[in-house]
Amino acid sequence: VVVRDISSQTKQLDAKSFYAAGMAVFFVFFSVQFGVTSLLEERNDGTLARLLVAPISRIAILAGKLLTSFLVGIISMAVLVAATSLLFGARWGNPVGVVILIVTAVLAATGITAIIAGFARDAEQAGNAQTVVAVVLGLLGGTFFPVSQAPGVLSTLTFVAPQAWFLRGLGDLRGGDLSAVTVPALAMLGFAVVTGAIGVFRLRRVAEL
């Protein structure tokens, strides 16, 4: 009888998969910017006023912008998953679990982007702030190196970033069944609900100007 501890192996992504997932969730915070910040651009260019006088509700306009951000994020993540799997041999895990994690990660990214845009004066300021937040959360979330394995408070602080939950979910999915993504997915969904609610409230005021 041979006793072998495989817990650290089964819950840790290999190097190719880790960096593929890290880069994918890092850049999704940039790709979702365009739908939301376009609302600010249209306000500054005067096209938003034309949309508001048309038989289109403000909620429909805002929903269209948020849906655009969400779909762009989903498509960009799907392309990166397919490309890194085919070209670099990255192993993402159970497809259903990966889809759940991608959807919740994109929702979280869209919510964070929306709340930043809601407090920005114009599209340029929103873009600059979103870039800073994306980089800071990417660093804290361990998209460049596994921060969760770092000593001290840094290993705990990493989970203030949705990226960390995404990477944890993929790692747990590697070492378990589909239920392993439940906690990470719920955590990212919590980010999406809180930031999205505040962001929508602020963006509705933008659409009224």
Side-chain angles (χ1 to χ4, degrees):
V1 177
V2 178
V3 178
R4 195 157 52 95
D5 184 8
I6 61 171
S7 59
S8 62
Q9 298 175 13
T10 57
K11 292 192 176 183
Q12 184 175 350
L13 297 172
D14 58 86
K16 291 181 181 179
S17 303
F18 173 81
Y19 287 110
M23 291 301 98
V25 74
F26 176 75
F27 284 108
V28 77
F29 275 74
F30 292 90
S31 62
V32 299
Q33 293 181 11
F34 301 105
V36 176
T37 55
S38 66
L39 183 68
L40 299 175
E41 292 176 353
E42 292 193 14
R43 183 188 66 176
N44 295 338
D45 295 340
T47 54
L48 180 60
R50 298 180 182 180
L51 287 175
L52 293 175
V53 298
I56 306 173
S57 66
R58 290 183 173 87
I59 294 297
I61 295 172
L62 182 55
K65 299 297 183 183
L66 293 173
L67 183 60
T68 298
S69 291
F70 175 75
L71 292 178
V72 170
I74 292 292
I75 293 171
S76 66
M77 289 284 282
V79 170
L80 284 172
V81 168
T84 54
S85 299
L86 294 174
L87 299 178
F88 304 109
R91 295 179 297 167
W92 289 78
N94 187 314
V96 177
V98 173
V99 169
I100 293 172
L101 291 173
I102 287 176
V103 169
T104 50
V106 173
L107 285 173
T110 303
I112 292 172
T113 301
I115 195 173
I116 295 172
F119 285 93
R121 293 192 303 269
D122 50 42
E124 182 178 0
Q125 186 185 56
N128 293 336
Q130 288 162 356
T131 298
V132 172
V133 171
V135 172
V136 171
L137 290 179
L139 289 171
L140 288 175
T143 57
F144 302 104
F145 52 89
V147 179
S148 59
Q149 299 178 9
V153 69
L154 190 59
S155 61
T156 303
L157 188 62
T158 184
F159 291 109
V160 303
Q163 294 92 328
W165 289 104
F166 178 78
L167 295 172
R168 174 183 170 177
L170 289 177
D172 290 348
L173 186 63
R174 177 70 63 85
D177 55 18
L178 191 59
S179 62
V181 304
T182 302
V183 173
L186 288 176
M188 290 187 288
L189 190 60
F191 277 103
V193 171
V194 174
T195 58
I198 299 173
V200 168
F201 174 77
R202 292 291 305 182
L203 287 174
R204 284 187 64 182
R205 297 186 61 184
V206 172
E208 292 174 356
L209 298 179

